[in-house]
């Protein structure tokens, strides 16, 4: 089904080219206007930051603001041809995407704006026509152009949405299409397309003034994406260290103020080094992303998951007591243990099996602890889980001098005394967070991370 869906727009675009080429009255003025639009569009594309395409999903790059003028002011064949050089430049210069997806996108734009061109020409000259005119005619002309942009822009957009949904039925299109940034981007793209068409209808030379406007608007629209990129770990899509620490401090303060429970969990992938040594670091990256996806799928929207570096992850579970946190961690452990991560995209690719160890701690309602206390207890629990066989969930109570530790595995529990100043699995940056937070009282975490000879 997906293959047929993806193949249909290119076929329709080729049919549209075949139908319009023989019926077009080729004129030099139209060709010059087309080349001017192509040059403006290519300048806009070449200035597009690569980060605009790095996040995946639906990218609003404002390419279509240059296609609508071609559909309205030039013969329909130019509307079909216009996306080709622009999408080719994106593929060659800006971002090397998957080729068939780029072809599909170009074809959907061609088909959508070919329909828009035909719709515009279906209106009588008294309402639309080849020139803007003045008075009431200018108003009706702009209204028809806006209608054509809805047909062309929304039409090709919904074709792409359909392909995304077919390729990933679990994708939540409401989150992609109806959030504030997406709606603002759609409105800005619609507005720019209509205004540029109106300006070019008055004088094609004015196109040179439209380019800076498009660049400025797109830069403004990317602010939210740039802000998100500064918060996210690029490899896993989880919160980075500094962002997680900041949000965790805020959640902890809120829990203490409202006398609510809160839990912290540290997650470590067992034998991760052997994955890198056996299959290579690219496969190791796939494993990291798979575990990150598992964390997101098993946690609530208001929980916080971050990556601290290497194969370590950290969780903050709001409104969660120790018993619930242990059950969440156990569910996550079983979920990861049942996963099989392919080493590449081949259907018959070998699979990598993996397990995780989890250290959990929590503060009950009405208690007060510092974030460093919770991280210290969770790390001690994690170390105990790793030392006693891995693929386990360990629970420790945050304490100053020692902690009573319970290790859960298959419904059984064993208890041990744990020294918070003992060996640690924390990455160096987490140790820095803990020690800096306790400088006033003297560092508790004085020992370095485990050496290469210590089991992980």
């Amino acid at each position: 089904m997906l293959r047929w869906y993806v193949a249909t727009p290119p076929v329709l675009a080729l049919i549209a080219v075949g139908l319009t080429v023989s019926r077009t009255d080729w004129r030099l003025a139209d060709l010059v206007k087309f080349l001017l639009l192509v040059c403006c569009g290519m300048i806009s594309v070449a200035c597009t930051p690569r980060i605009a395409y790095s996040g995946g999903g639906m990218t609003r790059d404002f390419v279509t603001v240059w296609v609508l003028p071609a559909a309205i002011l030039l013969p329909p064949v130019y509307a079909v041809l216009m996306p080709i050089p622009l999408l080719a430049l994106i593929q060659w210069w800006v971002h090397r995407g998957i080729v068939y997806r780029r072809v599909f996108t170009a074809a959907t734009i061609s088909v959508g704006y070919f329909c828009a061109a035909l719709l515009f020409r279906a209106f009588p000259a008294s309402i639309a026509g080849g020139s803007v005119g003045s008075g009431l005619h200018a108003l009706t002309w702009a209204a028809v152009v806006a209608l054509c942009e809805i047909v062309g822009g929304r039409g090709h957009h919904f074709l792409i949405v359909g392909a995304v949904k077919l390729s990933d039925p679990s994708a939540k299109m409401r989150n992609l299409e109806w959030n504030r940034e997406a709606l603002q981007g759609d409105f800005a793209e619609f507005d720019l397309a209509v205004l540029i068409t109106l300006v070019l209808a008055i004088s094609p030379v004015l196109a040179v003034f439209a380019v800076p406007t498009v660049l400025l608007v797109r830069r403004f629209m990317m602010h939210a994406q740039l802000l998100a990129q500064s918060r996210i770990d690029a490899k896993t899509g989880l919160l980075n260290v500094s962002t997680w620490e900041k949000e965790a401090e805020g959640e902890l303060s809120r829990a203490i103020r409202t006398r609510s429970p809160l839990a912290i969990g540290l997650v470590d992938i067992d034998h991760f080094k052997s994955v890198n040594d056996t299959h290579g670091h690219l496969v190791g990256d796939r494993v990291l992303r798979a575990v990150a996806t598992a964390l997101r799928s098993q946690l609530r929207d208001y929980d916080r998951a971050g990556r601290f570096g290497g194969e370590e992850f950290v969780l903050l579970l709001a409104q969660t007591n120790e018993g619930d946190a242990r059950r969440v961690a156990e569910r996550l452990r079983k979920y990861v243990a049942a996963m099989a991560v392919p080493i590449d995209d081949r259907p018959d690719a070998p699979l990598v099996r993996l397990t995780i160890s989890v250290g959990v701690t929590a503060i009950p309602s009405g208690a007060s602890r510092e974030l460093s206390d919770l991280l210290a207890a969770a790390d001690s629990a994690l170390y105990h889980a790793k030392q006693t066989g891995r693929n386990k969930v360990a629970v420790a109570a945050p304490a100053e001098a020692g902690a009573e530790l319970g290790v859960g595995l298959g419904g059984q529990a064993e208890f041990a005394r744990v020294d918070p100043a003992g060996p640690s699995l924390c990455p160096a940056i987490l140790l820095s967070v803990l020690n800096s937070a306790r400088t006033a009282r003297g560092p508790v975490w004085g020992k370095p991370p485990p050496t290469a000879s210590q089991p992980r």
Side-chain angles (χ1 to χ4, degrees), residues 66-362:
W66 306 105
V67 183
L68 180 66
I72 301 301
L73 305 176
L74 298 173
V77 65
Y78 291 106
V80 182
L81 298 176
M82 186 73 186
I84 298 175
L86 302 184
L87 272 296
L89 183 62
I90 292 175
Q91 178 69 18
W92 174 68
W93 179 261
V94 180
H95 180 261
R96 295 291 180 90
I98 301 176
V99 175
Y100 79 85
R101 293 183 180 177
R102 199 75 77 195
V103 172
F104 175 79
T105 301
T108 57
I109 296 174
S110 295
V111 172
Y113 283 93
F114 176 71
C115 295
L118 297 181
L119 175 63
F120 182 80
R121 285 154 182 79
F123 285 88
S126 59
I127 297 178
S131 61
V132 179
S134 59
L136 181 61
H137 186 271
L139 182 61
T140 58
W141 192 91
V144 172
V145 170
L147 177 62
C148 293
E149 168 59 18
I150 293 175
V151 171
R154 295 300 86 198
H156 100 270
H157 187 81
F158 286 131
L159 288 174
I160 294 176
V161 168
V164 172
K165 193 63 178 177
L166 285 176
S167 62
D168 184 10
S170 64
K172 297 180 179 179
M173 304 313 301
R174 182 180 63 181
N175 296 338
L176 293 175
E177 295 300 304
W178 296 102
N179 60 74
R180 184 178 63 181
E181 288 74 21
L183 294 175
Q184 288 178 343
D186 291 340
F187 178 78
E189 195 170 39
F190 169 83
D191 186 60
L192 284 173
V194 174
L195 290 178
I196 291 175
T197 303
L198 180 61
V199 168
L200 266 64
I202 297 173
S203 175
V205 180
L206 297 176
V208 296
F209 297 102
V211 176
T213 303
V214 173
L215 296 180
L216 288 174
V217 172
R218 184 175 55 211
R219 180 70 65 174
F220 170 76
M221 296 303 302
M222 287 184 60
H223 177 264
Q225 184 177 2
L226 293 171
L227 182 62
Q229 288 292 113
S230 68
R231 292 164 39 85
I232 299 301
D233 173 71
K235 189 166 290 186
T236 62
L238 301 178
L239 296 178
N240 58 31
V241 177
S242 58
T243 302
W244 185 90
E245 180 191 354
K246 181 179 179 180
E247 296 197 4
E249 289 282 7
E251 287 291 340
L252 180 59
S253 298
R254 185 181 298 109
I256 294 173
R257 185 175 66 253
T258 60
R259 306 179 66 84
S260 303
L262 180 141
I264 296 288
L266 287 177
V267 179
D268 188 272
I269 303 176
D270 299 326
H271 303 294
F272 182 73
K273 185 176 183 299
S274 66
V275 175
N276 284 333
D277 292 342
T278 304
H279 302 286
H281 289 278
L282 293 180
V283 176
D285 291 345
R286 294 177 70 96
V287 168
L288 289 175
R289 288 191 291 270
V291 173
T293 301
L295 293 178
R296 283 193 294 267
S297 67
Q298 296 298 304
L299 299 181
R300 300 163 298 184
D301 292 339
Y302 51 86
D303 292 329
R304 298 290 184 268
R307 182 190 179 208
F308 268 29
E311 66 271 28
E312 290 97 0
F313 303 88
V314 63
L315 312 176
L316 183 143
L317 308 177
Q319 301 286 335
T320 304
N321 58 34
E322 182 180 289
D324 290 337
R326 180 173 176 172
R327 284 187 286 271
V328 170
E330 183 67 16
R331 184 179 71 236
L332 178 62
R333 183 195 66 79
K334 292 179 179 179
Y335 184 89
V336 173
M339 288 170 43
V341 182
I343 66 172
D344 53 45
D345 294 327
R346 294 174 300 167
D348 57 343
L351 302 176
V352 175
R353 301 282 181 176
L354 60 146
T355 60
I356 59 173
S357 298
V358 187
V360 174
T361 190

Side-chain angles (χ1 to χ4, degrees), residues 25-35 74 78:
D25 182 15
W26 299 95
R27 296 184 298 177
L28 181 60
D30 290 339
L31 183 59
V32 171
K33 192 179 296 185
F34 173 74
L35 293 177
L74 298 173
Y78 291 106

Side-chain angles (χ1 to χ4, degrees), residues 50-71:
R50 287 173 172 82
I51 193 175
Y53 297 91
S54 62
M58 303 288 292
T59 302
R60 291 163 174 82
D61 49 17
F62 291 3
V63 166
T64 58
V65 303
W66 306 105
V67 183
L68 180 66

